[in-house]
Amino acid sequence: MFLLPETVAHQDGKGPETILNQSGTLLQLNLAITRIIEDECLEVSLWGSSDRHHWRKLAAFPQKFYCGDYSLMLDLSLHPEVRYLRAHWKMDCRSPGSSRKPLFGFHLSLEQMRVQHAGAV
Protein backbone atom coordinates (compact mmCIF):
# COMPACT_ATOMS: atom_id res chain seq x y z
CA MET A 1 0.00 0.00 0.00
CA PHE A 2 1.38 3.41 -0.94
CA LEU A 3 1.27 6.09 1.75
CA LEU A 4 2.84 8.50 -0.68
CA PRO A 5 2.85 7.81 -4.41
CA GLU A 6 5.84 8.86 -6.54
CA THR A 7 6.35 12.52 -5.67
CA VAL A 8 8.72 15.16 -6.98
CA ALA A 9 9.07 17.86 -4.33
CA HIS A 10 10.92 21.18 -4.04
CA GLN A 11 9.92 22.01 -0.47
CA ASP A 12 8.82 20.49 2.84
CA GLY A 13 5.40 18.90 2.79
CA LYS A 14 3.00 16.20 3.87
CA GLY A 15 1.12 13.50 2.05
CA PRO A 16 -2.53 12.46 2.06
CA GLU A 17 -4.16 10.80 5.05
CA THR A 18 -4.48 7.02 4.91
CA ILE A 19 -7.01 5.05 6.96
CA LEU A 20 -5.61 2.00 8.74
CA ASN A 21 -7.51 -1.24 8.15
CA GLN A 22 -6.11 -2.93 11.27
CA SER A 23 -4.54 -1.69 14.46
CA GLY A 24 -1.90 -3.40 16.54
CA THR A 25 0.17 -4.69 13.64
CA LEU A 26 3.82 -4.62 12.72
CA LEU A 27 4.50 -2.48 9.65
CA GLN A 28 7.50 -2.24 7.38
CA LEU A 29 7.87 1.23 5.87
CA ASN A 30 9.67 1.32 2.54
CA LEU A 31 11.15 4.61 1.33
CA ALA A 32 12.45 4.75 -2.24
CA ILE A 33 14.41 7.85 -3.27
CA THR A 34 14.53 7.99 -7.06
CA ARG A 35 15.93 11.48 -7.63
CA ILE A 36 18.20 13.72 -5.60
CA ILE A 37 20.62 16.59 -6.20
CA GLU A 38 24.12 16.62 -4.72
CA ASP A 39 24.52 18.21 -1.27
CA GLU A 40 20.85 17.89 -0.37
CA CYS A 41 19.21 15.79 2.33
CA LEU A 42 15.73 14.41 2.86
CA GLU A 43 14.05 13.38 6.09
CA VAL A 44 10.78 11.42 5.89
CA SER A 45 8.64 10.72 8.94
CA LEU A 46 5.36 8.91 9.60
CA TRP A 47 2.67 10.58 11.68
CA GLY A 48 -0.43 9.03 13.24
CA SER A 49 -3.77 10.29 14.49
CA SER A 50 -6.89 8.92 16.12
CA ASP A 51 -9.16 11.76 14.96
CA ARG A 52 -7.46 13.38 11.90
CA HIS A 53 -6.98 16.61 13.88
CA HIS A 54 -4.20 15.84 16.36
CA TRP A 55 -1.10 14.26 14.82
CA ARG A 56 2.07 12.90 16.41
CA LYS A 57 5.28 11.50 15.00
CA LEU A 58 5.46 7.70 15.15
CA ALA A 59 8.69 7.01 13.26
CA ALA A 60 11.31 8.76 11.14
CA PHE A 61 13.96 7.65 8.70
CA PRO A 62 17.40 9.12 9.39
CA GLN A 63 18.33 11.88 6.94
CA LYS A 64 19.06 10.50 3.49
CA PHE A 65 21.57 11.91 1.01
CA TYR A 66 21.49 9.34 -1.81
CA CYS A 67 19.06 7.54 -4.09
CA GLY A 68 18.14 4.08 -2.84
CA ASP A 69 15.63 1.91 -1.03
CA TYR A 70 15.38 2.14 2.75
CA SER A 71 13.23 0.23 5.28
CA LEU A 72 12.04 0.92 8.80
CA MET A 73 9.89 -1.19 11.13
CA LEU A 74 7.01 0.26 13.16
CA ASP A 75 5.06 -1.65 15.81
CA LEU A 76 1.56 -0.15 15.85
CA SER A 77 0.60 -2.23 18.90
CA LEU A 78 2.44 0.50 20.83
CA HIS A 79 -0.04 3.04 19.40
CA PRO A 80 -3.45 1.29 19.53
CA GLU A 81 -5.38 4.57 19.21
CA VAL A 82 -3.91 5.41 15.79
CA ARG A 83 -6.45 5.09 12.95
CA TYR A 84 -4.89 7.40 10.35
CA LEU A 85 -1.37 7.72 8.94
CA ARG A 86 0.38 10.29 6.78
CA ALA A 87 3.92 10.99 5.65
CA HIS A 88 5.77 14.26 6.30
CA TRP A 89 9.04 15.29 4.67
CA LYS A 90 11.66 17.93 5.23
CA MET A 91 14.47 18.77 2.86
CA ASP A 92 17.60 20.82 3.17
CA CYS A 93 20.58 21.92 1.12
CA ARG A 94 23.96 21.34 2.78
CA SER A 95 25.84 23.81 0.54
CA PRO A 96 26.32 27.07 2.43
CA GLY A 97 24.96 30.08 0.55
CA SER A 98 23.20 28.01 -2.09
CA SER A 99 20.13 29.67 -3.60
CA ARG A 100 18.83 26.67 -5.53
CA LYS A 101 15.64 24.91 -4.49
CA PRO A 102 15.96 21.32 -3.30
CA LEU A 103 14.65 18.59 -5.59
CA PHE A 104 13.71 15.05 -4.60
CA GLY A 105 11.80 12.23 -6.23
CA PHE A 106 10.56 9.62 -3.75
CA HIS A 107 7.70 7.42 -2.63
CA LEU A 108 6.70 5.69 0.60
CA SER A 109 4.87 2.40 0.95
CA LEU A 110 4.00 0.10 3.82
CA GLU A 111 3.60 -3.62 4.27
CA GLN A 112 1.91 -5.40 7.14
CA MET A 113 4.31 -7.96 8.54
CA ARG A 114 3.22 -11.30 9.94
CA VAL A 115 4.71 -12.19 13.28
CA GLN A 116 5.37 -15.83 14.01
CA HIS A 117 5.71 -16.86 17.61
CA ALA A 118 8.16 -19.58 18.48
CA GLY A 119 6.90 -22.20 20.88
CA ALA A 120 8.63 -24.71 23.11
CA VAL A 121 8.60 -28.31 21.99
Side-chain angles (χ1 to χ4, degrees):
M1 174 169 68
F2 278 98
L3 287 174
L4 186 63
E6 182 67 31
T7 301
V8 175
H10 297 278
Q11 61 189 9
D12 299 349
K14 49 186 130 171
E17 299 168 4
T18 301
I19 299 171
L20 275 176
N21 293 332
Q22 296 179 354
S23 61
T25 59
L26 185 62
L27 300 179
Q28 179 175 317
L29 305 171
N30 301 305
L31 171 64
I33 301 176
T34 56
R35 189 171 179 187
I36 195 167
I37 295 177
E38 186 178 14
D39 291 331
E40 295 182 354
C41 63
L42 175 69
E43 182 180 326
V44 176
S45 56
L46 184 68
W47 292 64
S49 174
S50 61
D51 60 7
R52 299 172 61 189
H53 298 288
H54 301 93
W55 294 87
R56 65 187 174 111
K57 188 188 293 189
L58 303 176
F61 288 88
Q63 288 184 335
K64 301 297 178 193
F65 304 95
Y66 303 102
C67 289
D69 296 318
Y70 306 95
S71 296
L72 181 69
M73 299 301 286
L74 173 63
D75 185 355
L76 280 181
S77 68
L78 303 173
H79 311 281
E81 73 287 354
V82 170
R83 298 289 175 250
Y84 304 93
L85 297 174
R86 82 175 168 205
H88 289 213
W89 62 89
K90 292 184 179 191
M91 44 186 72
D92 194 17
C93 182
R94 298 182 299 162
S95 295
S98 176
S99 61
R100 73 174 185 238
K101 285 187 172 184
L103 172 68
F104 291 93
F106 59 100
H107 60 269
L108 181 66
S109 63
L110 67 83
E111 293 178 56
Q112 290 187 353
M113 305 303 292
R114 296 185 185 269
V115 178
Q116 295 182 352
H117 298 282
V121 199

